[in-house]
Amino acid sequence: ERCGLVVKQFKADVRVSPTETICKNLLLQTNNSTLEDYYAMHYSRFPDFLDYINKVVMVANLKKSKVDSKDVAYFATALREYPTIITISGSAKGTVANIQAKNLLLSDGQTIIKGNLKMVGLPDINKTLIDYNNGELITSGNGILKYAPGLKNNPSVSISSITRAYFKGDFKGYINNFVLNGTIVSNLGTIVSNVKMKIAPGRNGMTDYTGNVKVNDLNLGVLLKQPDLGTVTLNADVDGRQSKAEGTDVNFKTIIQHIEYRNYAYTGINADGKLEKEKFTGNLLIADSNVSMGFYGLFDFSQEKLKI
């Protein structure tokens, strides 16, 4: 094809008409991709291919297929910014800009995705609405940053510190603005969440979050780039925000089994209040082996010496 796409091998039972192209028993090899089983394209007229992203409806049933983004980029040039090779099994229907997949098994070598997926807004991943349900995902920080490079320099969250992560549950929203329900097991700890999060772009962008979180041995200090913090186990209702410029501002009601602060693990803590710029205002009950107290007031961690 004049754009550069080369069909190296093609076998199928084919039907072509002015409104559809159907390929059964398919084996298709292009420059870098291989598709097997079934693929169809539906359109109103052939000139729809000039706007392939929005006007050509694809229907596929794929088995052990390999898709290289360089081949898709001949029709959707924005994908040239996200070079990747994906192996795919499952069924899908829709345009590039509005596509649904069922019984999906997808891998790019760093990330594995299973479940049902709907994406509206491609090829711009930052403006794409993602609805992922009954899902399983195995990835890492580098796998996430591959598709959301803007998070790499986020001052509030260290995505690259995640070396492995397994998620089971549902995700709905955008890369930087989403609702997450499910369980995440990672090298930094375990999180069971029903959380809404919004991450603003830029080095000084604000991260807003609200919801319920259950955490088990999560290395919060590494994840949130707070060296004074260590691991934490808790059950909390939270509503907060954080940025490099403004620090942390969190309202919460929580039961903390343990939390490490400046290399000491405090246990048996009930806290209800607000943490803002290294200051805690609220109610704090501690039944630690070295500390037993009930506190109503202010803790100030911002100075060398603790102020109460």
Side-chain angles (χ1 to χ4, degrees), residues 8-27:
K8 295 181 177 180
Q9 184 177 10
F10 177 81
K11 296 180 180 180
D13 300 325
V14 181
R15 184 176 70 190
V16 179
S17 79
T19 58
E20 63 183 10
T21 299
I22 298 175
C23 302
K24 298 180 180 179
N25 301 315
L26 172 67
L27 173 59

Side-chain angles (χ1 to χ4, degrees), residues 53-65:
I53 292 175
N54 298 296
K55 293 185 178 181
V56 177
V57 176
M58 303 170 290
V59 180
N61 183 37
L62 303 177
K63 298 179 179 179
K64 299 179 180 179
S65 296

Side-chain angles (χ1 to χ4, degrees), residues 46-56 75 95:
F46 285 121
D48 285 350
F49 281 88
L50 297 175
D51 188 9
Y52 189 91
I53 292 175
N54 298 296
K55 293 185 178 181
V56 177
F75 305 99
T95 63

Side-chain angles (χ1 to χ4, degrees), residues 60-77:
N61 183 37
L62 303 177
K63 298 179 179 179
K64 299 179 180 179
S65 296
K66 181 184 73 172
V67 177
D68 192 314
S69 62
K70 291 194 294 290
D71 289 349
V72 182
Y74 288 120
F75 305 99
T77 56

Side-chain angles (χ1 to χ4, degrees), residues 45 51 93 130 193 227 263:
R45 54 197 185 115
D51 188 9
K93 182 177 181 179
I130 302 170
S193 69
N263 299 317

